[in-house]
Amino acid sequence: MKERGGKKGKYMVAVFVELLMVVCVVNVFAQPVIPTLPCFIEGNVTINGKEAPVGTEIKAIVGDKEHVYEVKERGKFSISVEGDMTDKGKIITFFVNGIRADKTLEWRSGATYNIDLAVFTNETPLVEQTPVITPTITPTPSPETVGFEMPPLPASFYGNVTMYGEKAEVGTIVRAYIEGREVGNITVKEKGVYADGFNTYLVVQGTRDDIGKQINFTVNGLEANQTAIYIPGEIRKMDLSAGEQHVETAEWLIVGILLIVALVVAFAYLRLKVRRRR
């Protein structure tokens, strides 16, 4: 009886040890995934140099995620931009009533930013609406302060625009590129003028690495004859033209062909004249 009891005790100990090992393994692989904290952004917002009215829509886009905020206090905004670890370092772009703002930021989990947004448009700003009272959601504070580097000021351009020697039509799109990357665009709303330098500008937003690099422009996809250098904060009048160079090239080609034909005819005539004299 003692021998059986001893074997049974050893068996129970072995079972207990195996169960303990299983529990340890489960605990190791069942560690909870720590969720990412949203990026919180607040500041002032203006349209055509004036405080944005209540009801203005502000949209923040990072990757394929959109976050929309409606202004509840004139000229001020605050928005929480959620993301995941794959969004770290991605650029957040802002739109005010559908118009791209002059600032961008990098998305970082738990970061808190304070920036001012500004847009310019020919359209009349929205009429101020009665604010809708909604509960304020306090963002979860970051466990640690996350530093960030503010992007440089944009460069702004305005002036006339032509295609093939004619004033560009309303609806023509002018785009700006740095090393093949689009950094700004504007749609012509007045024939022959892409931006008037008063209410509208072609805003070119580059990075610190883009400072001093060349800006190329296109007019409805045609490369413009003019270029510029990215200088943060510069406001510059520059007329753009596209297509004229191709017209001049075609004209010179026709002139060259005519000259060659004339020379061939003159040479043939001289040879014929010489033969007749012989």
Side-chain angles (χ1 to χ4, degrees), residues 153-220:
L153 292 172
S156 301
F157 298 88
Y158 65 96
N160 303 319
V161 57
T162 59
M163 291 183 65
Y164 299 109
E166 301 292 334
K167 292 182 178 180
E169 297 291 337
V170 173
T172 300
I173 300 177
V174 178
R175 301 180 188 275
Y177 298 87
I178 295 179
E179 294 184 340
R181 185 181 77 258
E182 183 173 339
V183 289
N185 66 75
I186 192 170
T187 301
V188 173
K189 294 184 178 179
E190 177 185 347
K191 186 174 181 178
V193 178
Y194 69 90
D196 59 20
F198 179 69
N199 291 319
T200 57
Y201 293 89
L202 171 54
V203 178
V204 176
Q205 180 63 67
T207 64
R208 294 194 180 278
D209 293 336
D210 293 329
I211 296 176
K213 292 183 179 179
Q214 179 173 293
I215 305 172
N216 296 310
F217 303 91
T218 64
V219 182
N220 268 3

Short mmCIF file of all heavy atoms in Angstrom, two decimals, residues 153-220:
data_model
loop_
_atom_site.label_atom_id
_atom_site.label_comp_id
_atom_site.label_asym_id
_atom_site.label_seq_id
_atom_site.Cartn_x
_atom_site.Cartn_y
_atom_site.Cartn_z
N LEU A 153 8.63 77.62 -43.22
CA LEU A 153 7.54 78.39 -43.80
C LEU A 153 7.42 78.06 -45.29
O LEU A 153 8.41 77.75 -45.95
CB LEU A 153 7.80 79.88 -43.62
CG LEU A 153 7.74 80.42 -42.19
CD1 LEU A 153 8.21 81.87 -42.17
CD2 LEU A 153 6.33 80.30 -41.62
N PRO A 154 6.21 78.16 -45.84
CA PRO A 154 6.06 77.90 -47.28
C PRO A 154 6.55 79.10 -48.09
O PRO A 154 6.69 80.21 -47.56
CB PRO A 154 4.54 77.71 -47.44
CG PRO A 154 3.96 78.54 -46.34
CD PRO A 154 4.92 78.42 -45.19
N ALA A 155 6.80 78.87 -49.36
CA ALA A 155 7.07 79.94 -50.30
C ALA A 155 5.79 80.20 -51.08
O ALA A 155 5.05 79.27 -51.39
CB ALA A 155 8.20 79.56 -51.25
N SER A 156 5.50 81.47 -51.37
CA SER A 156 4.24 81.83 -52.04
C SER A 156 4.54 82.55 -53.35
O SER A 156 5.40 83.44 -53.40
CB SER A 156 3.40 82.73 -51.13
OG SER A 156 3.11 82.06 -49.91
N PHE A 157 3.82 82.16 -54.42
CA PHE A 157 4.02 82.74 -55.74
C PHE A 157 2.68 83.25 -56.28
O PHE A 157 1.62 82.71 -55.97
CB PHE A 157 4.60 81.70 -56.70
CG PHE A 157 5.95 81.19 -56.29
CD1 PHE A 157 6.07 80.09 -55.44
CD2 PHE A 157 7.12 81.80 -56.74
CE1 PHE A 157 7.31 79.61 -55.05
CE2 PHE A 157 8.36 81.33 -56.35
CZ PHE A 157 8.46 80.24 -55.51
N TYR A 158 2.76 84.30 -57.12
CA TYR A 158 1.56 84.81 -57.79
C TYR A 158 1.98 85.45 -59.10
O TYR A 158 3.15 85.79 -59.31
CB TYR A 158 0.82 85.81 -56.90
CG TYR A 158 1.58 87.09 -56.63
CD1 TYR A 158 1.36 88.23 -57.39
CD2 TYR A 158 2.52 87.16 -55.60
CE1 TYR A 158 2.05 89.41 -57.14
CE2 TYR A 158 3.21 88.33 -55.35
CZ TYR A 158 2.98 89.46 -56.12
OH TYR A 158 3.67 90.61 -55.88
N GLY A 159 1.01 85.60 -60.01
CA GLY A 159 1.32 86.23 -61.29
C GLY A 159 0.41 85.71 -62.40
O GLY A 159 -0.60 85.05 -62.16
N ASN A 160 0.80 86.01 -63.64
CA ASN A 160 0.04 85.61 -64.82
C ASN A 160 0.49 84.25 -65.32
O ASN A 160 1.60 83.78 -65.00
CB ASN A 160 0.20 86.66 -65.93
CG ASN A 160 -0.23 88.04 -65.48
OD1 ASN A 160 -1.24 88.17 -64.80
ND2 ASN A 160 0.52 89.07 -65.84
N VAL A 161 -0.33 83.62 -66.16
CA VAL A 161 0.01 82.31 -66.72
C VAL A 161 -0.53 82.22 -68.14
O VAL A 161 -1.68 82.61 -68.40
CB VAL A 161 -0.54 81.17 -65.84
CG1 VAL A 161 -2.04 81.26 -65.65
CG2 VAL A 161 -0.15 79.81 -66.43
N THR A 162 0.30 81.73 -69.06
CA THR A 162 -0.09 81.57 -70.46
C THR A 162 0.24 80.17 -70.95
O THR A 162 1.16 79.52 -70.42
CB THR A 162 0.61 82.60 -71.36
OG1 THR A 162 2.04 82.43 -71.24
CG2 THR A 162 0.25 84.01 -70.95
N MET A 163 -0.51 79.73 -71.96
CA MET A 163 -0.24 78.46 -72.64
C MET A 163 -0.22 78.73 -74.14
O MET A 163 -1.18 79.28 -74.69
CB MET A 163 -1.31 77.42 -72.30
CG MET A 163 -1.30 76.93 -70.87
SD MET A 163 -2.55 75.64 -70.58
CE MET A 163 -1.89 74.32 -71.64
N TYR A 164 0.89 78.36 -74.77
CA TYR A 164 1.06 78.58 -76.21
C TYR A 164 0.82 80.04 -76.58
O TYR A 164 0.22 80.37 -77.61
CB TYR A 164 0.13 77.67 -77.01
CG TYR A 164 0.38 76.21 -76.77
CD1 TYR A 164 -0.51 75.44 -76.05
CD2 TYR A 164 1.54 75.60 -77.25
CE1 TYR A 164 -0.28 74.10 -75.82
CE2 TYR A 164 1.78 74.25 -77.03
CZ TYR A 164 0.88 73.51 -76.30
OH TYR A 164 1.12 72.18 -76.07
N GLY A 165 1.25 80.95 -75.71
CA GLY A 165 1.14 82.36 -75.99
C GLY A 165 -0.21 82.98 -75.68
O GLY A 165 -0.38 84.19 -75.80
N GLU A 166 -1.19 82.18 -75.25
CA GLU A 166 -2.52 82.68 -74.93
C GLU A 166 -2.76 82.60 -73.41
O GLU A 166 -2.19 81.76 -72.73
CB GLU A 166 -3.59 81.87 -75.66
CG GLU A 166 -3.46 81.88 -77.18
CD GLU A 166 -3.74 83.25 -77.78
OE1 GLU A 166 -4.49 84.03 -77.13
OE2 GLU A 166 -3.22 83.55 -78.86
N LYS A 167 -3.63 83.48 -72.91
CA LYS A 167 -3.96 83.45 -71.49
C LYS A 167 -4.57 82.10 -71.12
O LYS A 167 -5.45 81.60 -71.84
CB LYS A 167 -4.95 84.57 -71.15
CG LYS A 167 -4.35 85.97 -71.27
CD LYS A 167 -5.38 87.01 -70.87
CE LYS A 167 -4.78 88.42 -70.93
NZ LYS A 167 -5.78 89.45 -70.54
N ALA A 168 -4.11 81.51 -70.03
CA ALA A 168 -4.63 80.21 -69.58
C ALA A 168 -6.09 80.35 -69.19
O ALA A 168 -6.49 81.32 -68.54
CB ALA A 168 -3.81 79.69 -68.40
N GLU A 169 -6.89 79.35 -69.57
CA GLU A 169 -8.32 79.39 -69.30
C GLU A 169 -8.61 79.09 -67.83
O GLU A 169 -7.80 78.48 -67.12
CB GLU A 169 -9.05 78.36 -70.18
CG GLU A 169 -8.94 78.63 -71.68
CD GLU A 169 -9.70 79.88 -72.10
OE1 GLU A 169 -10.63 80.27 -71.36
OE2 GLU A 169 -9.37 80.44 -73.16
N VAL A 170 -9.81 79.52 -67.40
CA VAL A 170 -10.28 79.20 -66.05
C VAL A 170 -10.38 77.68 -65.91
O VAL A 170 -10.88 76.99 -66.82
CB VAL A 170 -11.65 79.84 -65.78
CG1 VAL A 170 -12.21 79.37 -64.45
CG2 VAL A 170 -11.53 81.36 -65.81
N GLY A 171 -9.91 77.13 -64.80
CA GLY A 171 -9.90 75.68 -64.59
C GLY A 171 -8.55 75.05 -64.84
O GLY A 171 -8.33 73.89 -64.48
N THR A 172 -7.63 75.82 -65.45
CA THR A 172 -6.26 75.32 -65.65
C THR A 172 -5.61 75.08 -64.29
O THR A 172 -5.78 75.88 -63.36
CB THR A 172 -5.43 76.33 -66.45
OG1 THR A 172 -6.04 76.52 -67.74
CG2 THR A 172 -3.99 75.85 -66.64
N ILE A 173 -4.86 73.98 -64.16
CA ILE A 173 -4.22 73.65 -62.89
C ILE A 173 -2.71 73.89 -62.99
O ILE A 173 -2.06 73.35 -63.90
CB ILE A 173 -4.49 72.20 -62.47
CG1 ILE A 173 -5.99 71.98 -62.31
CG2 ILE A 173 -3.78 71.86 -61.17
CD1 ILE A 173 -6.37 70.56 -61.97
N VAL A 174 -2.20 74.68 -62.09
CA VAL A 174 -0.75 74.94 -61.99
C VAL A 174 -0.22 74.16 -60.80
O VAL A 174 -0.76 74.26 -59.70
CB VAL A 174 -0.47 76.44 -61.82
CG1 VAL A 174 1.03 76.68 -61.68
CG2 VAL A 174 -1.03 77.23 -63.01
N ARG A 175 0.81 73.36 -61.02
CA ARG A 175 1.39 72.55 -59.96
C ARG A 175 2.87 72.89 -59.79
O ARG A 175 3.55 73.26 -60.75
CB ARG A 175 1.24 71.05 -60.26
CG ARG A 175 -0.22 70.61 -60.42
CD ARG A 175 -0.31 69.11 -60.72
NE ARG A 175 -1.66 68.70 -61.05
CZ ARG A 175 -2.58 68.38 -60.16
NH1 ARG A 175 -2.28 68.42 -58.88
NH2 ARG A 175 -3.80 68.03 -60.54
N ALA A 176 3.36 72.69 -58.55
CA ALA A 176 4.77 72.93 -58.23
C ALA A 176 5.39 71.62 -57.74
O ALA A 176 4.75 70.85 -57.01
CB ALA A 176 4.91 74.00 -57.17
N TYR A 177 6.64 71.36 -58.16
CA TYR A 177 7.33 70.12 -57.80
C TYR A 177 8.75 70.43 -57.33
O TYR A 177 9.40 71.36 -57.82
CB TYR A 177 7.42 69.17 -59.00
CG TYR A 177 6.10 68.70 -59.55
CD1 TYR A 177 5.41 69.44 -60.50
CD2 TYR A 177 5.53 67.51 -59.11
CE1 TYR A 177 4.20 69.01 -61.01
CE2 TYR A 177 4.31 67.06 -59.62
CZ TYR A 177 3.66 67.82 -60.56
OH TYR A 177 2.45 67.38 -61.06
N ILE A 178 9.20 69.64 -56.37
CA ILE A 178 10.61 69.64 -55.96
C ILE A 178 11.10 68.21 -56.08
O ILE A 178 10.58 67.31 -55.41
CB ILE A 178 10.80 70.15 -54.52
CG1 ILE A 178 10.38 71.62 -54.42
CG2 ILE A 178 12.26 69.99 -54.08
CD1 ILE A 178 10.52 72.20 -53.02
N GLU A 179 12.06 67.99 -56.97
CA GLU A 179 12.61 66.66 -57.24
C GLU A 179 11.49 65.65 -57.54
O GLU A 179 11.49 64.53 -57.03
CB GLU A 179 13.46 66.19 -56.05
CG GLU A 179 14.72 67.03 -55.85
CD GLU A 179 15.61 66.51 -54.73
OE1 GLU A 179 15.10 65.74 -53.87
OE2 GLU A 179 16.81 66.84 -54.72
N GLY A 180 10.52 66.06 -58.35
CA GLY A 180 9.46 65.17 -58.78
C GLY A 180 8.33 64.99 -57.79
O GLY A 180 7.35 64.30 -58.08
N ARG A 181 8.43 65.61 -56.62
CA ARG A 181 7.40 65.49 -55.58
C ARG A 181 6.54 66.75 -55.57
O ARG A 181 7.06 67.86 -55.47
CB ARG A 181 8.07 65.31 -54.22
CG ARG A 181 7.08 65.06 -53.07
CD ARG A 181 7.82 64.91 -51.75
NE ARG A 181 8.26 66.18 -51.21
CZ ARG A 181 9.47 66.65 -51.28
NH1 ARG A 181 10.43 65.97 -51.87
NH2 ARG A 181 9.78 67.83 -50.74
N GLU A 182 5.22 66.57 -55.71
CA GLU A 182 4.33 67.72 -55.73
C GLU A 182 4.31 68.40 -54.36
O GLU A 182 4.10 67.75 -53.34
CB GLU A 182 2.90 67.32 -56.12
CG GLU A 182 1.96 68.51 -56.24
CD GLU A 182 0.59 68.14 -56.77
OE1 GLU A 182 0.46 67.08 -57.43
OE2 GLU A 182 -0.36 68.91 -56.53
N VAL A 183 4.52 69.72 -54.37
CA VAL A 183 4.58 70.46 -53.11
C VAL A 183 3.58 71.62 -53.09
O VAL A 183 3.60 72.45 -52.17
CB VAL A 183 6.01 71.00 -52.88
CG1 VAL A 183 6.97 69.87 -52.54
CG2 VAL A 183 6.52 71.78 -54.10
N GLY A 184 2.70 71.68 -54.08
CA GLY A 184 1.68 72.73 -54.09
C GLY A 184 0.96 72.77 -55.42
O GLY A 184 1.50 72.35 -56.45
N ASN A 185 -0.28 73.26 -55.42
CA ASN A 185 -1.03 73.42 -56.66
C ASN A 185 -2.12 74.46 -56.46
O ASN A 185 -2.50 74.78 -55.33
CB ASN A 185 -1.63 72.09 -57.12
CG ASN A 185 -2.69 71.57 -56.17
OD1 ASN A 185 -3.81 72.07 -56.13
ND2 ASN A 185 -2.33 70.55 -55.38
N ILE A 186 -2.61 74.99 -57.58
CA ILE A 186 -3.70 75.97 -57.54
C ILE A 186 -4.45 75.91 -58.86
O ILE A 186 -3.87 75.58 -59.91
CB ILE A 186 -3.14 77.40 -57.30
CG1 ILE A 186 -4.27 78.36 -56.95
CG2 ILE A 186 -2.35 77.90 -58.49
CD1 ILE A 186 -3.79 79.72 -56.47
N THR A 187 -5.74 76.18 -58.82
CA THR A 187 -6.59 76.17 -60.00
C THR A 187 -6.88 77.61 -60.43
O THR A 187 -7.24 78.44 -59.61
CB THR A 187 -7.92 75.44 -59.73
OG1 THR A 187 -7.63 74.10 -59.33
CG2 THR A 187 -8.79 75.41 -60.97
N VAL A 188 -6.70 77.89 -61.73
CA VAL A 188 -6.93 79.23 -62.26
C VAL A 188 -8.41 79.58 -62.16
O VAL A 188 -9.27 78.85 -62.65
CB VAL A 188 -6.45 79.32 -63.72
CG1 VAL A 188 -6.84 80.67 -64.33
CG2 VAL A 188 -4.95 79.11 -63.80
N LYS A 189 -8.70 80.72 -61.50
CA LYS A 189 -10.09 81.17 -61.36
C LYS A 189 -10.35 82.47 -62.13
O LYS A 189 -11.49 82.90 -62.25
CB LYS A 189 -10.42 81.36 -59.88
CG LYS A 189 -10.41 80.05 -59.10
CD LYS A 189 -10.84 80.25 -57.66
CE LYS A 189 -10.86 78.92 -56.92
NZ LYS A 189 -11.26 79.08 -55.50
N GLU A 190 -9.28 83.08 -62.63
CA GLU A 190 -9.40 84.27 -63.47
C GLU A 190 -8.51 84.05 -64.69
O GLU A 190 -7.33 83.75 -64.55
CB GLU A 190 -8.97 85.51 -62.70
CG GLU A 190 -9.01 86.78 -63.52
CD GLU A 190 -8.47 87.98 -62.78
OE1 GLU A 190 -8.28 87.88 -61.55
OE2 GLU A 190 -8.21 89.02 -63.43
N LYS A 191 -9.07 84.18 -65.88
CA LYS A 191 -8.34 83.89 -67.10
C LYS A 191 -7.00 84.61 -67.14
O LYS A 191 -6.93 85.83 -66.99
CB LYS A 191 -9.18 84.28 -68.32
CG LYS A 191 -8.56 83.86 -69.65
CD LYS A 191 -9.49 84.13 -70.81
CE LYS A 191 -8.86 83.68 -72.12
NZ LYS A 191 -9.77 83.89 -73.27
N GLY A 192 -5.94 83.83 -67.34
CA GLY A 192 -4.60 84.40 -67.46
C GLY A 192 -3.90 84.72 -66.16
O GLY A 192 -2.77 85.19 -66.17
N VAL A 193 -4.55 84.46 -65.01
CA VAL A 193 -3.95 84.76 -63.70
C VAL A 193 -4.07 83.52 -62.82
O VAL A 193 -5.18 83.07 -62.55
CB VAL A 193 -4.64 85.96 -63.01
CG1 VAL A 193 -4.02 86.21 -61.64
CG2 VAL A 193 -4.56 87.20 -63.89
N TYR A 194 -2.93 82.95 -62.38
CA TYR A 194 -3.02 81.77 -61.53
C TYR A 194 -3.17 82.15 -60.06
O TYR A 194 -3.71 81.38 -59.26
CB TYR A 194 -1.82 80.84 -61.75
CG TYR A 194 -0.48 81.35 -61.27
CD1 TYR A 194 -0.03 81.10 -59.97
CD2 TYR A 194 0.36 82.04 -62.12
CE1 TYR A 194 1.21 81.55 -59.54
CE2 TYR A 194 1.60 82.50 -61.72
CZ TYR A 194 2.03 82.25 -60.43
OH TYR A 194 3.25 82.69 -60.00
N ALA A 195 -2.68 83.32 -59.67
CA ALA A 195 -2.85 83.83 -58.30
C ALA A 195 -2.67 85.34 -58.36
O ALA A 195 -1.77 85.84 -59.05
CB ALA A 195 -1.86 83.19 -57.35
N ASP A 196 -3.52 86.08 -57.62
CA ASP A 196 -3.49 87.54 -57.73
C ASP A 196 -2.58 88.22 -56.70
O ASP A 196 -2.41 89.43 -56.75
CB ASP A 196 -4.91 88.11 -57.62
CG ASP A 196 -5.60 87.75 -56.30
OD1 ASP A 196 -4.89 87.40 -55.33
OD2 ASP A 196 -6.84 87.82 -56.25
N GLY A 197 -2.02 87.47 -55.76
CA GLY A 197 -1.12 88.06 -54.78
C GLY A 197 -1.83 88.87 -53.72
O GLY A 197 -1.19 89.52 -52.90
N PHE A 198 -3.16 88.81 -53.72
CA PHE A 198 -3.94 89.53 -52.71
C PHE A 198 -4.79 88.55 -51.91
O PHE A 198 -4.64 88.41 -50.70
CB PHE A 198 -4.83 90.58 -53.38
CG PHE A 198 -5.67 91.35 -52.40
CD1 PHE A 198 -5.10 92.25 -51.52
CD2 PHE A 198 -7.04 91.16 -52.36
CE1 PHE A 198 -5.88 92.95 -50.60
CE2 PHE A 198 -7.83 91.86 -51.47
CZ PHE A 198 -7.25 92.75 -50.58
N ASN A 199 -5.67 87.84 -52.63
CA ASN A 199 -6.49 86.82 -51.98
C ASN A 199 -5.96 85.41 -52.23
O ASN A 199 -6.30 84.48 -51.50
CB ASN A 199 -7.94 86.90 -52.47
CG ASN A 199 -8.64 88.16 -51.98
OD1 ASN A 199 -8.46 88.55 -50.84
ND2 ASN A 199 -9.40 88.80 -52.85
N THR A 200 -5.19 85.23 -53.29
CA THR A 200 -4.74 83.89 -53.65
C THR A 200 -3.23 83.86 -53.90
O THR A 200 -2.65 84.83 -54.40
CB THR A 200 -5.46 83.38 -54.92
OG1 THR A 200 -5.23 84.31 -56.00
CG2 THR A 200 -6.96 83.25 -54.67
N TYR A 201 -2.64 82.72 -53.53
CA TYR A 201 -1.22 82.46 -53.77
C TYR A 201 -1.06 80.98 -54.13
O TYR A 201 -1.86 80.14 -53.70
CB TYR A 201 -0.37 82.73 -52.51
CG TYR A 201 -0.32 84.18 -52.10
CD1 TYR A 201 -1.28 84.70 -51.24
CD2 TYR A 201 0.69 85.02 -52.56
CE1 TYR A 201 -1.24 86.03 -50.84
CE2 TYR A 201 0.74 86.35 -52.16
CZ TYR A 201 -0.23 86.86 -51.31
OH TYR A 201 -0.18 88.16 -50.92
N LEU A 202 -0.03 80.68 -54.91
CA LEU A 202 0.39 79.30 -55.08
C LEU A 202 1.34 79.00 -53.93
O LEU A 202 2.48 79.49 -53.90
CB LEU A 202 1.09 79.09 -56.43
CG LEU A 202 1.77 77.74 -56.65
CD1 LEU A 202 0.81 76.59 -56.41
CD2 LEU A 202 2.38 77.66 -58.04
N VAL A 203 0.87 78.24 -52.95
CA VAL A 203 1.64 77.96 -51.73
C VAL A 203 2.49 76.71 -51.96
O VAL A 203 1.96 75.64 -52.26
CB VAL A 203 0.70 77.77 -50.53
CG1 VAL A 203 1.51 77.44 -49.27
CG2 VAL A 203 -0.12 79.03 -50.30
N VAL A 204 3.79 76.85 -51.81
CA VAL A 204 4.73 75.73 -51.98
C VAL A 204 5.29 75.37 -50.61
O VAL A 204 6.03 76.15 -50.00
CB VAL A 204 5.87 76.13 -52.95
CG1 VAL A 204 6.89 75.00 -53.04
CG2 VAL A 204 5.31 76.46 -54.32
N GLN A 205 4.91 74.20 -50.11
CA GLN A 205 5.36 73.74 -48.79
C GLN A 205 6.40 72.64 -48.94
O GLN A 205 6.08 71.53 -49.33
CB GLN A 205 4.17 73.23 -47.97
CG GLN A 205 4.55 72.74 -46.59
CD GLN A 205 5.14 73.84 -45.72
OE1 GLN A 205 4.46 74.78 -45.35
NE2 GLN A 205 6.43 73.73 -45.41
N GLY A 206 7.64 72.96 -48.66
CA GLY A 206 8.70 71.97 -48.71
C GLY A 206 9.16 71.58 -47.31
O GLY A 206 8.57 71.99 -46.30
N THR A 207 10.21 70.80 -47.24
CA THR A 207 10.80 70.39 -45.97
C THR A 207 12.12 71.14 -45.79
O THR A 207 12.57 71.87 -46.68
CB THR A 207 11.06 68.88 -45.95
OG1 THR A 207 12.05 68.56 -46.96
CG2 THR A 207 9.77 68.12 -46.26
N ARG A 208 12.74 70.95 -44.64
CA ARG A 208 14.03 71.61 -44.40
C ARG A 208 15.08 71.11 -45.40
O ARG A 208 15.98 71.84 -45.77
CB ARG A 208 14.49 71.37 -42.96
CG ARG A 208 13.58 72.03 -41.94
CD ARG A 208 14.21 72.10 -40.56
NE ARG A 208 13.31 72.75 -39.62
CZ ARG A 208 13.19 74.06 -39.49
NH1 ARG A 208 13.93 74.85 -40.25
NH2 ARG A 208 12.34 74.59 -38.62
N ASP A 209 14.96 69.85 -45.83
CA ASP A 209 15.91 69.31 -46.80
C ASP A 209 15.72 69.93 -48.18
O ASP A 209 16.59 69.83 -49.05
CB ASP A 209 15.77 67.79 -46.90
CG ASP A 209 16.22 67.09 -45.63
OD1 ASP A 209 17.03 67.69 -44.89
OD2 ASP A 209 15.75 65.96 -45.36
N ASP A 210 14.55 70.55 -48.43
CA ASP A 210 14.26 71.13 -49.75
C ASP A 210 14.77 72.56 -49.89
O ASP A 210 14.76 73.11 -51.00
CB ASP A 210 12.74 71.13 -50.01
CG ASP A 210 12.19 69.72 -50.14
OD1 ASP A 210 12.93 68.84 -50.62
OD2 ASP A 210 11.02 69.50 -49.77
N ILE A 211 15.19 73.19 -48.80
CA ILE A 211 15.63 74.58 -48.85
C ILE A 211 16.80 74.72 -49.83
O ILE A 211 17.78 73.99 -49.76
CB ILE A 211 16.04 75.08 -47.45
CG1 ILE A 211 14.83 75.07 -46.51
CG2 ILE A 211 16.63 76.49 -47.53
CD1 ILE A 211 15.14 75.44 -45.08
N GLY A 212 16.67 75.67 -50.76
CA GLY A 212 17.71 75.90 -51.76
C GLY A 212 17.59 75.05 -53.00
O GLY A 212 18.34 75.24 -53.96
N LYS A 213 16.61 74.12 -53.02
CA LYS A 213 16.44 73.26 -54.19
C LYS A 213 15.52 73.93 -55.22
O LYS A 213 14.76 74.83 -54.91
CB LYS A 213 15.87 71.90 -53.79
CG LYS A 213 16.85 71.06 -52.98
CD LYS A 213 16.28 69.69 -52.66
CE LYS A 213 17.27 68.85 -51.87
NZ LYS A 213 16.72 67.51 -51.52
N GLN A 214 15.60 73.44 -56.46
CA GLN A 214 14.83 74.03 -57.56
C GLN A 214 13.37 73.60 -57.52
O GLN A 214 13.05 72.44 -57.25
CB GLN A 214 15.45 73.62 -58.90
CG GLN A 214 14.72 74.17 -60.12
CD GLN A 214 15.45 73.90 -61.40
OE1 GLN A 214 16.54 74.43 -61.64
NE2 GLN A 214 14.89 73.07 -62.26
N ILE A 215 12.48 74.57 -57.80
CA ILE A 215 11.06 74.30 -57.93
C ILE A 215 10.71 74.32 -59.41
O ILE A 215 11.02 75.28 -60.11
CB ILE A 215 10.21 75.36 -57.19
CG1 ILE A 215 10.63 75.48 -55.73
CG2 ILE A 215 8.73 75.03 -57.29
CD1 ILE A 215 9.97 76.64 -55.01
N ASN A 216 10.09 73.26 -59.90
CA ASN A 216 9.61 73.20 -61.28
C ASN A 216 8.09 73.36 -61.27
O ASN A 216 7.41 72.91 -60.34
CB ASN A 216 9.99 71.87 -61.93
CG ASN A 216 11.50 71.72 -62.05
OD1 ASN A 216 12.17 72.62 -62.53
ND2 ASN A 216 12.03 70.59 -61.63
N PHE A 217 7.56 73.96 -62.33
CA PHE A 217 6.12 74.21 -62.43
C PHE A 217 5.56 73.55 -63.69
O PHE A 217 6.26 73.43 -64.70
CB PHE A 217 5.83 75.72 -62.47
CG PHE A 217 6.36 76.47 -61.29
CD1 PHE A 217 7.63 77.03 -61.31
CD2 PHE A 217 5.59 76.63 -60.15
CE1 PHE A 217 8.12 77.73 -60.22
CE2 PHE A 217 6.07 77.33 -59.05
CZ PHE A 217 7.34 77.88 -59.09
N THR A 218 4.30 73.13 -63.61
CA THR A 218 3.59 72.64 -64.79
C THR A 218 2.26 73.37 -64.91
O THR A 218 1.67 73.78 -63.91
CB THR A 218 3.33 71.12 -64.72
OG1 THR A 218 2.46 70.82 -63.60
CG2 THR A 218 4.63 70.34 -64.57
N VAL A 219 1.81 73.52 -66.16
CA VAL A 219 0.53 74.15 -66.45
C VAL A 219 -0.30 73.14 -67.22
O VAL A 219 0.00 72.84 -68.38
CB VAL A 219 0.72 75.45 -67.26
CG1 VAL A 219 -0.63 76.12 -67.51
CG2 VAL A 219 1.68 76.40 -66.55
N ASN A 220 -1.31 72.58 -66.56
CA ASN A 220 -2.10 71.49 -67.15
C ASN A 220 -1.20 70.37 -67.66
O ASN A 220 -1.41 69.81 -68.73
CB ASN A 220 -3.00 72.01 -68.27
CG ASN A 220 -4.38 72.41 -67.77
OD1 ASN A 220 -4.66 72.35 -66.56
ND2 ASN A 220 -5.25 72.82 -68.67
#
